[in-house]
Amino acid sequence: DPSAPADPAEAEEFLRLCYTEQPRLGPVEPRLAAVRAQIAATGTYTHTSEELTWGAKVAWRNASRCIGRLYWRSLTVLDRRKARTADEIFSLLVRHLDVAGGGSALRPVISVFAPAVPGRPYARVWNEQLIRYAGYRTEAGIVGDPRYVSFTDAMHAMGWRGRGGPFDVLPVVVETPDEAPRLFELPEQAVLEVPIAHPELSWFERLGLRWHAVPAISNMRLRVGGVDYPLAPFNGWYMGTEIGARNLADPDRYNLLPIVASGLGLDTSHEATLWRDRALVELNRAVLWSFERAGVKITDHHTESSRFLAHMRNEEKAGRPVPADWTWIVPPMSGGATPVFHRYYHEADQRPNFYLDSEAAS
Amino acid sequence: DPSAPADPAEAEEFLRLCYTEQPRLGPVEPRLAAVRAQIAATGTYTHTSEELTWGAKVAWRNASRCIGRLYWRSLTVLDRRKARTADEIFSLLVRHLDVAGGGSALRPVISVFAPAVPGRPYARVWNEQLIRYAGYRTEAGIVGDPRYVSFTDAMHAMGWRGRGGPFDVLPVVVETPDEAPRLFELPEQAVLEVPIAHPELSWFERLGLRWHAVPAISNMRLRVGGVDYPLAPFNGWYMGTEIGARNLADPDRYNLLPIVASGLGLDTSHEATLWRDRALVELNRAVLWSFERAGVKITDHHTESSRFLAHMRNEEKAGRPVPADWTWIVPPMSGGATPVFHRYYHEADQRPNFYLDSEAAS
Ligand code: HEM
Ligand code: HEM
């Protein structure tokens, strides 16, 4: 609960872990005493920038749904706690995308904005991800991403006018305590996109598909040592299946399997021809191949599965349990053909971590 | 625990459910009194054949890992509680396979042998499934199914001699309280098999693959109303992925993806070509197509996913929760392309049910 005072027990647990794992920070006791006093006096406390950096990295390390955690130490943490106005915040979001994807050598980045202070409203971004495509209701059906139809409707109600295309980047809505929600258009150069073609099938390119290079989740709350950061957008790079087996494939998203199957000339009259599976593979090949062609970093689900198991070995060697959620770690295609399928994981809510407030605690 | 007395509370709960769901059985109270008395006197009680039949069906209905539960009412229950000797048991197992698969119109069947009686040893079958293939350690590597190498070793130690081929049906080992474990060879006509070819790729047939038609699990304990049936083999028909995405594909099983990929001429030098995924799809197309060609019932994971959701709707209409384990219900390939992927399930250990005793309770 971002409006509650910082929990002193969680603060202590965090600080002990942080100072133990990083001996160069010195003894934790004096710091603990200071933090206890600050919580008693103000209901919260302020992380040093080392604590914040380490906290964000460990939140990633603890993200039990994330297969990409091998790289957790490499997170770039941008300390944006001083930003207050919507203008400041938006320009730092643009800066985030620039650090993350400037020059197409993608980097994992998190921008941490001001923490929630008990009893006071806080700034947030309405978008699920910084870059997402609009979805328009039309008489011929939905154009664009069906997932964002109501978000797009809300943008329209606030005066935005989309071009009505299938891949129109949505505006970013920044809400601060002092200003009404404000819409901002991302500058073109902040939004790296990749047109999707297929290594062999020339008609594929004519489908006119594209996807953005940087998945930057902007609606999760970062919780570090009992303190909530309601605005802390983060990004890694894509695993191909997120685009090819979910965003472009899910029936309630771009729903492209029937279209790709028809391009492939498959018999879709009964399921046992496995036309869905064949279309799915070609769509995913196209995604991976297109990103590679464009020189934009992406990973495939086989490689990433092995890396995740390497991460588990590293962590176990360091004596740390690796909480993991099988249903998210196992990729949405060819699950059984990836090594992450064939084992159990330990599930746990370890902190620091990321939370989605609209989601029921599970 | 099959050696403990029947649990009167579990017996009562079962009987109440059984008589409520089937009003034609009459009032439960007299039956409850009789069962309570029988448990008090003997430590257990005897199911009527109607109770047994209904109990087995509901055990299937409660099998949270099974996607095929739409058909739960259609289970044929063979009451084999009187069988005592290994010869009798084995001939009834052969009869089971005959009822299940005679004439290739597969039927879901369970054969329920004698219940465990507190403090007394009971009959069992050593095999995981009635029909499985041997695995031989050779200098050139394992021939056959690697999963059954130690079982095959044990068979050898007991005097069996396999032909050393990749698809040799294992003998069935029946152990009764009065006899040492005995090996039986299944007669050829009890083992329906399907040679695997591909609808388009002529070289596929030359891989010499085959699989048995009937998956008959023989190592799970059926527990009905507090009574354990340690030997209660059951079968349905296959969902293609069990063969094509697990038995023939898993690295620690027949591991055929590299071989199929090489037949397809795929570039296996890096994962992003998705050669595993492409080989997986063709292998699974081959399995489904071959079973259909042979007129042997099989289902695909798309069709079965929709049927499972229909089952959930039926059950919910009847006011019954459907316990389900996402990690087992979602198929091992193209998970995200099946409707069962996109929801949560309620997990619960509802009884009657099937249990694997070697497995840690979870
Ligand atoms: C570096 C490359 C990365 C890869 C390849 C990667 C991969 C993934 C994938 C495939 C998912 C599942 C997404 C889905 O199915 O919707 C996921 C989820 C997640 N990842 Fe990562 N990730 C990366 C970086 C990061 C970073 C930098 C963070 C945070 C600092 C992070 C935190 C998370 C969290 C919190 C989730 C769960 C999201 C949710 O609940 O919706 N990941 N990741
Ligand atoms: C009629 C057609 C049937 C189909 C298509 C079907 C499908 C499946 C599938 C795909 C699995 C997962 C197997 C795996 O991944 O290893 C499964 C598991 C299971 N099924 Fe079914 N099934 C059928 C009939 C039955 C019957 C007749 C019963 C019992 C009376 C049953 C009880 C179970 C149980 C207990 C499991 C879990 C096995 C374990 O824990 O290893 N199923 N089923």
Side-chain angles (χ1 to χ4, degrees):
Chain A
D1 176 1
S3 67
D7 175 352
E10 198 176 325
E12 173 167 348
E13 191 197 19
F14 164 71
L15 292 166
R16 288 195 185 282
L17 202 65
C18 177
Y19 285 69
T20 307
E21 285 195 24
Q22 301 178 100
R24 66 179 176 80
L25 297 185
V28 71
E29 295 302 340
R31 177 62 182 142
L32 275 179
V35 164
R36 272 187 214 112
Q38 206 187 346
I39 294 178
T42 69
T44 187
Y45 69 107
T46 304
H47 288 125
T48 66
S49 75
E50 262 123 350
E51 288 162 4
L52 185 67
T53 297
W54 186 82
K57 290 181 179 181
V58 176
W60 183 9
R61 190 174 85 193
N62 286 336
S64 57
R65 295 170 163 185
C66 180
I67 196 173
R69 286 179 275 166
L70 180 60
Y71 318 101
W72 69 273
R73 286 174 207 277
S74 73
L75 184 66
T76 296
V77 181
L78 302 175
D79 182 350
R80 306 309 198 191
R81 288 179 289 177
K82 296 217 175 70
R84 284 291 171 277
T85 68
D87 281 319
E88 277 175 296
I89 290 172
F90 177 70
S91 76
L92 290 170
L93 295 175
V94 173
R95 185 88 193 99
H96 178 123
L97 291 175
D98 193 43
V99 176
S104 80
L106 305 196
R107 287 204 278 174
V109 178
I110 187 168
S111 294
V112 185
F113 289 88
V117 174
R120 278 200 248 151
Y122 45 84
R124 353 177 346 249
V125 154
W126 286 12
N127 308 55
E128 222 172 69
Q129 295 201 11
L130 295 182
I131 305 173
R132 278 311 210 200
Y133 297 118
Y136 306 99
R137 266 183 253 273
T138 77
E139 276 167 24
I142 290 167
V143 171
D145 194 338
R147 181 174 181 125
Y148 298 105
V149 164
S150 40
F151 191 91
T152 305
D153 284 346
M155 295 304 96
H156 282 157
M158 294 168 79
W160 184 71
R161 278 296 156 264
R163 277 166 304 146
F167 297 101
D168 296 345
V169 174
L170 284 164
V172 173
V173 184
V174 181
E175 183 177 355
T176 63
D178 302 322
E179 294 165 88
R182 285 184 52 200
L183 269 64
F184 295 88
E185 289 280 359
L186 287 167
E188 233 169 75
Q189 79 279 8
V191 185
L192 184 60
E193 288 182 281
V194 177
I196 311 288
H198 188 281
E200 291 132 27
L201 306 166
S202 58
W203 54 265
F204 212 100
E205 191 148 19
R206 290 197 293 277
L207 298 177
L209 309 179
R210 52 200 293 116
W211 205 256
H212 53 91
V214 178
I217 297 184
S218 47
N219 67 342
M220 293 188 87
R221 168 170 55 86
L222 168 66
R223 184 172 174 95
V224 174
V227 175
D228 286 301
Y229 294 93
L231 181 55
F234 59 84
N235 74 279
W237 46 79
Y238 265 116
M239 184 161 88
T241 54
E242 295 178 77
I243 304 170
R246 304 294 316 274
N247 299 340
L248 292 178
D250 278 0
D252 58 357
R253 303 292 300 285
Y254 280 84
N255 192 25
L256 284 163
L257 297 187
I259 285 161
V260 173
S262 119
L264 289 164
L266 302 182
D267 173 3
T268 60
S269 68
H270 55 294
E271 295 290 352
T273 63
L274 301 190
W275 63 268
R276 291 181 201 276
D277 312 71
R278 294 165 79 190
L280 186 63
V281 173
E282 297 312 328
L283 181 54
N284 279 277
R285 285 180 67 205
V287 167
L288 291 170
W289 184 81
S290 303
F291 270 64
E292 278 163 26
R293 181 180 65 160
V296 174
K297 179 142 186 130
I298 193 164
T299 185
D300 68 80
H301 49 294
H302 302 289
T303 303
E304 213 51 35
S305 291
S306 313
R307 291 207 181 120
F308 181 68
L309 294 183
H311 169 64
M312 293 201 62
R313 285 190 299 272
N314 290 348
E315 289 295 298
E316 275 153 22
K317 229 177 282 165
R320 291 189 292 257
V322 179
D325 179 339
W326 195 98
T327 65
W328 281 67
I329 295 294
V330 171
M333 70 182 284
S334 309
T338 63
V340 291
F341 183 97
H342 303 276
R343 50 163 297 159
Y344 290 96
Y345 301 97
H346 153 80
E347 289 192 44
D349 175 19
Q350 288 179 187
R351 294 182 175 183
N353 215 323
F354 294 99
Y355 296 91
L356 202 57
D357 289 318
S358 56
E359 215 172 33
S362 63
Chain B
D1 176 2
S3 67
D7 175 351
E10 198 175 325
E12 173 167 347
E13 190 196 20
F14 164 72
L15 292 167
R16 288 194 185 280
L17 203 66
C18 178
Y19 285 69
T20 306
E21 284 196 24
Q22 302 178 99
R24 67 179 175 78
L25 298 185
V28 70
E29 294 301 340
R31 177 64 180 141
L32 276 180
V35 164
R36 272 189 213 112
Q38 207 187 345
I39 293 177
T42 68
T44 187
Y45 70 105
T46 304
H47 289 125
T48 65
S49 74
E50 262 124 350
E51 288 161 5
L52 186 68
T53 297
W54 187 81
K57 289 181 178 180
V58 176
W60 183 10
R61 189 173 86 192
N62 286 336
S64 57
R65 295 170 163 186
C66 181
I67 196 173
R69 285 179 276 166
L70 180 61
Y71 319 102
W72 69 273
R73 286 174 207 277
S74 73
L75 184 66
T76 297
V77 182
L78 302 175
D79 181 351
R80 306 311 199 190
R81 287 178 290 177
K82 296 220 175 69
R84 286 289 171 278
T85 67
D87 281 319
E88 277 176 295
I89 290 171
F90 178 70
S91 76
L92 291 170
L93 295 176
V94 173
R95 184 90 192 98
H96 178 123
L97 291 175
D98 194 41
V99 176
S104 80
L106 305 195
R107 286 205 278 176
V109 178
I110 187 168
S111 294
V112 185
F113 290 89
V117 174
R120 279 199 247 151
Y122 48 83
R124 347 177 353 246
V125 154
W126 286 13
N127 309 55
E128 223 172 67
Q129 296 200 11
L130 296 182
I131 305 173
R132 276 312 210 197
Y133 298 118
Y136 306 100
R137 267 183 252 272
T138 76
E139 277 168 23
I142 290 167
V143 171
D145 194 339
R147 182 174 180 124
Y148 298 105
V149 164
S150 40
F151 191 91
T152 305
D153 284 346
M155 296 303 96
H156 283 157
M158 293 168 80
W160 184 71
R161 278 296 155 264
R163 278 166 303 146
F167 297 102
D168 295 346
V169 174
L170 284 164
V172 173
V173 183
V174 181
E175 183 177 355
T176 63
D178 302 322
E179 294 165 89
R182 284 182 53 198
L183 269 64
F184 296 88
E185 289 281 359
L186 287 167
E188 232 169 77
Q189 79 279 10
V191 185
L192 184 60
E193 288 180 284
V194 176
I196 312 287
H198 188 282
E200 290 132 27
L201 307 165
S202 57
W203 54 265
F204 212 101
E205 189 148 23
R206 292 197 293 277
L207 298 177
L209 309 179
R210 52 201 292 118
W211 205 257
H212 55 90
V214 179
I217 297 184
S218 47
N219 67 341
M220 292 187 89
R221 168 169 55 86
L222 168 65
R223 184 171 174 96
V224 174
V227 174
D228 285 300
Y229 295 93
L231 181 55
F234 60 83
N235 74 278
W237 46 80
Y238 265 115
M239 184 161 87
T241 53
E242 295 178 78
I243 304 170
R246 304 295 315 274
N247 299 341
L248 293 178
D250 278 359
D252 58 357
R253 302 292 299 284
Y254 281 83
N255 193 23
L256 284 163
L257 297 187
I259 286 161
V260 173
S262 120
L264 289 164
L266 302 182
D267 173 3
T268 59
S269 68
H270 56 295
E271 295 291 352
T273 63
L274 300 190
W275 63 268
R276 293 182 200 277
D277 311 71
R278 294 165 79 189
L280 185 63
V281 173
E282 297 312 329
L283 180 54
N284 279 275
R285 284 181 68 205
V287 167
L288 291 170
W289 184 81
S290 303
F291 270 64
E292 278 163 26
R293 180 179 67 161
V296 174
K297 179 142 185 130
I298 194 163
T299 184
D300 68 80
H301 49 293
H302 302 289
T303 303
E304 213 51 35
S305 291
S306 312
R307 290 205 182 125
F308 181 68
L309 293 184
H311 169 64
M312 292 201 62
R313 284 190 299 271
N314 289 349
E315 289 294 297
E316 275 153 22
K317 229 176 283 164
R320 292 189 292 256
V322 179
D325 179 339
W326 195 98
T327 66
W328 281 67
I329 295 294
V330 171
M333 71 183 284
S334 309
T338 63
V340 291
F341 183 96
H342 303 276
R343 49 164 299 161
Y344 290 96
Y345 301 97
H346 154 80
E347 290 192 44
D349 176 18
Q350 288 179 187
R351 293 182 176 182
N353 216 321
F354 294 99
Y355 296 92
L356 201 58
D357 288 319
S358 57
E359 216 173 32
S362 63

